[in-house]
Amino acid sequence: MNQNKAVDIELTKYVAEFVVETAFADLSAEVIELGKKSILDGFGLALSGSVAKSGELVRQHLGDLGLADGAATVIGGGRKVAPRFAAFANGVGIHADDYDDTQLAVAKDRVYGLLTHPTAPALPAAFAIGELVRSSGKDFMLAYHLGVEVECKIAEAIAPRHYQTGFHATATCGTFAAAAASARLMGFDVATTQRALSIAGSQSAGLRENFGTMTKPFHAGRSSESGVAAAQFASYGWTATPRILEAPRGFFAAAGGGYDQSAIFDKLGAPWTFANPGISIKPHPSGSLTHPGMTEMLRLIKEHGIRAEDVKHVRVGTNSNMPNALIHHRPKDELQAKFSMEFCMAILLLEGRAGLNEFTDAAVEREDVKSMIEKVDFVIDDEAEAAGYHLMTTLIDIELKDGRKITGRADFGKGSPAFPMSYDEVANKFRENAEFAGMSRNKADEIVELVRGLENLSTLDDLSTRLISIA
């Protein structure tokens, strides 16, 4: 980290120029299609998140605010409100089940090889302001991509201390994503965009101690709301520093103790993070660190015909950093279960699947689940440790009652760039989430096709009219 040298670069201005000057034509066909998968995934998660307990409480909060009708859709909420509040509600919804996409890291010193959940802050802001300004599908997609790219490169650049000592990068870096997407759709010039980013920086917050509680998705919602509010205040003429990122008392220094200038300067869109190193779409509503092991466990179950009643013992080995996030060894509710390697292995052995219907308080309380959890040991493994912290290497050893021993290893889970989900596979996930929320199959299919042809939409009306309510 060479912070003093970095201050010589007008980094916030560089980011603002990228947001203002990038055109839709600068997105490759590959990046456009990758983005559509994450956008569709995000909409589905906002729907399923709307029926979570957190969704109920968010609607209660919006009601308590006495809000007048606005321009922006609360997905699954049956109403439109002011953009900042729609961004909050939809951000909470997307992250409510910890089922949303994740950014892979370039640098190998990043814990777990992951950084942010990029869509949860970026998509709600782009959708809310897109509705406000009556944007086209192309303009909406571009703003979303700009937000994701800014978020991901900021997360890549900040010193690893930021996450290691407790900041939730989705919450902190996501605020800049929402501000960037909003600024683009509102047609800001470079100076106004700089101010929007700087106002966003002063709202950047979120602590990992709240993982496993409703406050984790609150982070995503608040970061999206804060970015929208930052852009709106900038549009009024609100003043702010032009160098919030690089200044000695700015974001990188205060929140991380420094940053790697080479990870962001001249790197925005070169390459797009969607293209390299990529963004993973989750196959299960649990912490990303569980997914290599879950992918491998499912493979072993199918390949060897493993039945729950035949299992004597399971050993799951990872590097020493992964247990720092997967902290709930005997989960008490579904939120804790999302960060429990033991639960994830147990439910797969018992049910052969792990979707929203399996991550419930009722499932956590089942006696057969508790009994299976007792058979699972989650340990630090030398081989996984040697593979490096940038990987999520997971080794599984299953001992059956008949004496057989079955082993497996995975470095990546299904949905990662190394093992990607197709658009149709993401569409199936979307349909499952929409059905979980109570939406009809026909309506869900219509949304799938609208997102597939998103660049052809003249406005977002066809999407918003289908997303506003479950019925």
Side-chain angles (χ1 to χ4, degrees):
M1 303 293 168
N2 189 345
Q3 187 182 341
N4 292 331
K5 179 181 178 181
V7 171
D8 296 335
I9 299 294
E10 293 183 285
L11 187 62
T12 308
K13 182 179 181 181
Y14 162 69
V15 173
E17 288 172 343
F18 171 76
V19 171
V20 171
E21 296 170 5
T22 303
F24 187 82
D26 295 320
L27 299 171
S28 69
E30 176 196 18
V31 168
I32 290 170
E33 294 308 311
L34 290 169
K36 285 181 184 178
K37 290 194 291 185
S38 281
I39 289 170
L40 179 64
D41 188 44
F43 284 147
L45 294 167
L47 286 169
S48 60
S50 73
V51 299
K53 180 65 176 178
S54 56
E56 175 188 336
L57 298 179
V58 165
R59 288 190 295 277
Q60 179 181 337
H61 176 63
L62 296 180
D64 287 347
L65 291 175
L67 301 173
D69 290 343
T73 298
V74 177
I75 295 174
R79 65 179 302 192
K80 290 194 172 189
V81 295
R84 65 179 294 173
F85 298 115
F88 172 72
N90 296 333
V92 172
I94 289 173
H95 202 45
D97 292 300
D98 228 291
Y99 208 178
D100 46 323
D101 59 6
T102 51
Q103 169 198 359
L104 273 67
V106 173
K108 292 188 176 183
D109 61 352
R110 302 311 162 107
V111 179
Y112 321 130
L114 301 173
L115 292 169
T116 72
H117 294 273
T119 291
L123 179 61
F127 192 52
I129 298 298
E131 287 188 277
L132 176 70
V133 303
R134 307 281 298 162
S135 83
S136 67
K138 278 187 176 180
D139 288 344
F140 161 66
M141 288 171 67
L142 176 58
Y144 163 77
H145 275 286
L146 293 171
V148 168
E149 182 68 2
V150 167
E151 174 183 358
C152 289
K153 290 301 199 294
I154 288 175
E156 190 73 59
I158 196 166
R161 190 205 81 180
H162 179 66
Y163 189 85
Q164 291 168 351
T165 58
F167 283 105
H168 182 195
T170 299
T172 56
C173 303
T175 308
F176 295 103
S182 300
R184 176 58 190 235
L185 285 166
M186 295 174 77
F188 289 175
D189 60 17
V190 171
T192 309
T193 302
Q194 284 177 265
R195 288 191 285 109
L197 293 170
S198 291
I199 299 166
S202 278
Q203 300 177 85
S204 177
L207 299 173
R208 289 171 58 209
E209 183 62 24
N210 273 310
F211 280 19
T213 75
M214 291 181 189
T215 304
K216 186 172 190 281
F218 180 94
H219 292 167
R222 180 49 64 90
S223 67
S224 195
E225 177 191 359
S226 295
V228 169
Q232 290 180 313
F233 271 92
S235 75
Y236 308 149
W238 201 268
T239 62
T241 177
R243 57 188 195 121
I244 194 65
L245 293 173
E246 68 273 25
R249 294 173 297 179
F251 175 72
F252 283 132
Y259 72 106
D260 180 0
Q261 177 182 294
S262 67
I264 183 170
F265 188 69
D266 283 341
K267 292 295 194 307
L268 289 170
W272 292 89
T273 300
F274 262 113
N276 185 34
I279 290 171
S280 294
I281 292 179
K282 288 189 173 186
H284 307 291
S286 55
S288 297
L289 302 182
T290 66
H291 292 171
M294 294 178 79
T295 298
E296 184 64 8
M297 177 60 84
L298 274 176
R299 186 188 72 80
L300 294 174
I301 290 170
K302 293 174 182 177
E303 182 176 319
H304 298 278
I306 298 171
R307 300 183 304 172
E309 58 267 29
D310 296 332
V311 174
K312 181 179 179 181
H313 179 258
V314 177
R315 178 186 184 274
V316 182
T318 67
N319 66 48
S320 59
N321 267 320
M322 288 170 66
N324 292 332
L326 303 177
I327 58 177
H328 297 291
H329 305 295
R330 299 295 183 267
K332 302 300 183 184
D333 56 39
E334 60 99 359
L335 288 172
Q336 291 186 1
K338 295 174 184 298
F339 295 90
S340 171
M341 181 69 84
E342 293 89 342
F343 175 87
C344 292
M345 297 294 104
I347 203 70
L348 287 175
L349 286 164
L350 288 162
E351 301 293 343
R353 61 184 182 274
L356 289 173
N357 286 312
E358 285 68 52
F359 281 86
T360 64
D361 289 348
V364 173
E365 293 166 2
R366 281 167 41 185
E367 289 304 318
D368 60 338
V369 172
K370 292 179 181 178
S371 178
M372 185 61 74
I373 283 175
E374 293 300 325
K375 297 179 181 181
V376 180
D377 284 335
F378 180 29
V379 301
I380 297 169
D381 184 276
D382 290 342
E383 183 178 340
E385 189 81 2
Y389 296 155
H390 63 295
L391 297 176
M392 296 180 286
T393 301
T394 306
L395 295 101
I396 298 176
D397 297 281
I398 304 170
E399 182 181 355
L400 301 181
K401 292 176 182 177
D402 64 7
R404 284 189 295 156
K405 294 184 178 180
I406 298 169
T407 64
R409 169 180 168 156
D411 295 316
F412 303 98
K414 177 67 175 174
S416 68
F419 193 5
M421 297 170 72
S422 67
Y423 186 86
D424 288 338
E425 287 176 317
V426 176
N428 286 334
K429 176 185 172 183
F430 171 85
R431 292 184 184 100
E432 290 173 3
N433 289 335
E435 181 183 357
F436 182 84
M439 180 176 281
S440 72
R441 178 63 178 262
N442 286 341
K443 193 174 182 181
D445 286 344
E446 290 171 355
I447 295 169
V448 167
E449 295 311 312
L450 284 169
V451 175
R452 195 190 300 269
L454 192 51
E455 66 270 40
N456 301 317
L457 299 183
S458 58
T459 71
L460 302 178
D461 290 351
D462 286 344
L463 272 173
S464 61
T465 56
R466 288 164 174 80
L467 289 167
I468 193 169
S469 66
I470 304 300

